[in-house]
Amino acid sequence: MVSWLGHWHPLVLHFPIVLLLLALFLGLTGRRVPPPLLVVAVLSALVTAITGFFLGKETVVRGSLLVWHQWLGAAVAFVSVVWYALSNMGLGRGIFAKVWQVVLLGLIALTGHYGGMLTHGEDFLALPIDPKQREIPDNPVIYGDVVARILNDKCISCHNPNKQKGELLMTDRDALLKGGESGTAIVPGKPGESEMVKRLHLPMDNDGHMPPEGKTPLTDTEIGILERWIALGASDTLRLSDLKEPEPLIGLVKSLMVPDPLDKWAEFPKVADTTLLRLSSDYLTINRMAANAEALSVDVYLPPEYDPQPVVNLKRVAENIVELDLSGIPIGSEEIDFIATCTHLEWLELDKTPIGDDAIEKLADLKQLGLLKVYQTSIGDKSLSVFKRLPNLKKLYLWDTDVTVGALEKFKGEAPHMLVEDGIDPEIEAFFIAGDTTVIE
């Protein structure tokens, strides 16, 4: 019965806050506080504080946040009663009453702050984290860099030292192995027998579903990661590089390592649609990468008479261009200098253009570049050193160039993370050229 009464606490707590703040506004501005308003505010504050203590009975292990929240709530109720007593004694507008009103205002703020941290986590009012600090490293520890992050985002707010719902802590691996009132949360090697996984798969309307209704549920990818981590033994030292194909956990983790494009592009300068229309032509199209996104994709086509100026004019939106296709365009130094200013470029096509090593050297600062097409150009071995300095370059297309076979093989060995497309295998190419129909084994 006591616990049931405690469940009313979240429902009634906002009522006294609004009434007390209204009464405080009137009192601190020198106006008369209507007695009925003060009576209802004080009574509702008392009810809220009492139900808060009842609700706390459900938590066997009470952390410091819960203790502070409860006693600060009690202090709010006590100071409200003192204010009411002073008002009945005719001292409601005196300096002493105003001191109590200021104290009450501070207590309401602190109580709400601790309540917010209990409900949403201790970092509830923390300053936003730099997105780069949230990035998963290239070779993450599966538990520390991935699993713990998922649990921290979706589970820790209800399973921390200050709020151990079901007597379960989820702040570290040992706590997961220890479990709570329903038993161990994880059984290494057996995700199907792990209570945590069972709760994740319950219907959303089931009282045992985790996270509970009103909380952000885990995605299918996040659930898959937890299941595979447990299936592989729930190690706290396993790294991504320790896994071998075709282990599903590799793809699941890598999918989390790819940042949301909209987040990456959120800080781009604003570009008006009218500006894009002015820069576009029949031979130069500009498209937004997504609806209302400021990231741009540019495609240039060869006109009957080529003029570099339309390309050079794109400098005014250079910071917004993430994809640029200049395939087959007779570009020169002006265009290369422009490309070098597109610091957010992720995709660049320069195939079938008259570029060489000097042009590639000018593009060494395109640190976001992930795909580069330079096949059927005059680039040579010198350009390979530039490609190695591009940290995000994952796909490189460079057949029919002046790059030597030896230098290319050495480059592939030094950049195993990069997919290098260097054309059709010579034996297969000779086969098709000769028109031979013999099956090559």
Side-chain angles (χ1 to χ4, degrees):
M1 183 65 177
V2 169
S3 295
W4 179 82
L5 290 173
H7 290 172
W8 287 87
H9 177 74
L11 300 178
V12 301
L13 66 88
H14 298 99
F15 190 58
I17 293 175
V18 173
L19 295 180
L20 286 173
L21 289 178
L22 178 58
L24 286 169
F25 172 77
L26 295 174
L28 291 172
T29 55
R31 302 175 189 179
R32 178 178 175 272
V33 180
L37 171 63
L38 193 54
V39 169
V40 176
V42 171
L43 289 176
S44 59
L46 287 168
V47 170
T48 301
I50 293 169
T51 55
F53 274 95
F54 287 167
L55 183 61
K57 291 289 185 181
E58 288 189 349
T59 304
V60 177
V61 181
R62 296 192 298 171
S64 59
L65 283 182
L66 177 57
V67 172
W68 274 103
H69 177 64
Q70 288 181 318
W71 287 107
L72 284 169
V76 168
F78 173 75
V79 175
S80 299
V81 171
V82 172
W83 181 18
Y84 174 73
L86 290 173
S87 181
N88 278 349
M89 294 167 58
L91 302 174
R93 293 191 179 186
I95 187 65
F96 193 51
K98 290 193 181 297
V99 170
W100 279 96
Q101 290 168 16
V102 172
V103 171
L104 179 58
L105 185 61
L107 288 172
I108 292 174
L110 286 172
T111 305
H113 175 58
Y114 277 91
M117 290 193 291
L118 270 175
T119 304
H120 304 288
E122 292 190 56
D123 57 353
F124 178 51
L125 291 179
L127 292 173
I129 298 174
D130 186 341
K132 290 185 177 180
Q133 296 180 20
R134 294 274 304 167
E135 291 180 1
I136 298 174
D138 291 338
N139 184 24
V141 176
I142 302 300
Y143 174 73
D145 295 319
V146 183
V147 172
R149 186 172 309 204
I150 294 171
L151 298 180
N152 187 61
D153 288 344
K154 304 294 178 66
C155 307
I156 296 298
S157 62
C158 291
H159 300 281
N160 60 74
N162 295 294
K163 186 181 180 183
Q164 292 186 38
K165 188 173 182 180
E167 300 181 39
L168 173 63
L169 267 176
M170 301 183 76
T171 50
D172 56 65
R173 178 177 172 275
D174 291 340
L176 292 171
L177 291 170
K178 180 181 178 182
E181 62 183 17
S182 299
T184 180
I186 60 173
V187 180
K190 299 178 180 179
E193 298 179 17
S194 300
E195 186 67 23
M196 180 174 70
V197 175
K198 292 179 183 178
R199 296 293 184 103
L200 290 172
H201 287 294
L202 288 174
M204 288 293 295
D205 57 355
N206 190 297
D207 290 340
H209 182 273
M210 188 179 76
E213 187 177 0
K215 299 286 187 178
T216 305
L218 276 72
T219 65
D220 290 341
T221 296
E222 291 171 334
I223 294 174
I225 288 173
L226 296 180
E227 289 179 330
R228 290 308 304 163
W229 172 67
I230 295 171
L232 294 173
S235 168
D236 58 356
T237 59
L238 180 70
R239 285 188 175 273
L240 182 62
S241 60
D242 297 330
L243 305 175
K244 305 300 180 186
E245 294 288 358
E247 169 53 51
L249 186 55
I250 297 175
L252 292 169
V253 172
K254 286 186 175 180
S255 69
L256 288 188
M257 295 169 69
V258 179
D260 186 339
L262 293 180
D263 290 340
K264 292 191 298 180
W265 304 332
E267 302 301 321
F268 281 16
K270 299 290 183 183
V271 181
D273 289 336
T274 52
T275 299
L276 302 183
L277 286 173
R278 284 196 299 269
L279 293 172
S280 301
S281 70
D282 292 340
Y283 297 97
L284 192 155
T285 62
I286 307 175
N287 294 300
R288 295 184 184 274
M289 295 296 294
N292 301 318
E294 303 303 330
L296 307 175
S297 172
V298 178
D299 293 282
V300 182
Y301 307 93
L302 184 63
E305 294 184 11
Y306 176 69
D307 179 2
Q309 200 56 47
V311 175
V312 176
N313 287 342
L314 293 171
K315 282 185 178 180
R316 61 190 303 180
V317 293
E319 291 186 58
N320 298 77
I321 299 175
V322 297
E323 292 188 3
L324 178 60
D325 184 355
L326 290 168
S327 302
I329 306 298
I331 59 177
S333 59
E334 285 185 283
E335 294 94 320
I336 293 296
D337 289 341
F338 152 68
I339 297 172
T341 66
C342 300
T343 53
H344 294 123
L345 260 183
E346 301 172 15
W347 181 299
L348 177 59
E349 300 187 34
L350 296 175
D351 48 284
K352 305 175 186 177
T353 62
I355 62 169
D357 292 333
D358 291 342
I360 295 298
E361 184 64 39
K362 292 183 178 181
L363 307 182
D365 290 330
L366 300 181
K367 304 301 183 184
Q368 303 304 316
L369 198 60
L371 181 146
L372 176 61
K373 294 184 179 181
V374 286
Y375 60 86
Q376 295 183 12
T377 64
S378 299
I379 67 168
D381 295 349
K382 184 180 177 181
S383 292
L384 297 180
S385 63
V386 177
F387 300 150
K388 285 191 289 187
R389 303 203 305 268
L390 299 175
N392 290 303
L393 189 59
K394 298 295 187 293
K395 294 183 179 180
L396 178 63
Y397 301 78
L398 45 54
W399 62 85
D400 288 346
T401 65
D402 292 335
V403 176
T404 63
V405 174
L408 182 58
E409 290 304 314
K410 181 181 178 182
F411 172 75
K412 289 180 179 180
E414 295 173 344
H417 64 285
M418 195 182 302
L419 173 63
V420 180
E421 294 286 354
D422 55 345
I424 302 175
D425 183 275
E427 289 188 20
I428 298 177
E429 185 176 21
F431 165 73
F432 282 110
I433 292 174
D436 192 352
T437 57
T438 304
V439 176
I440 298 177
E441 296 184 358

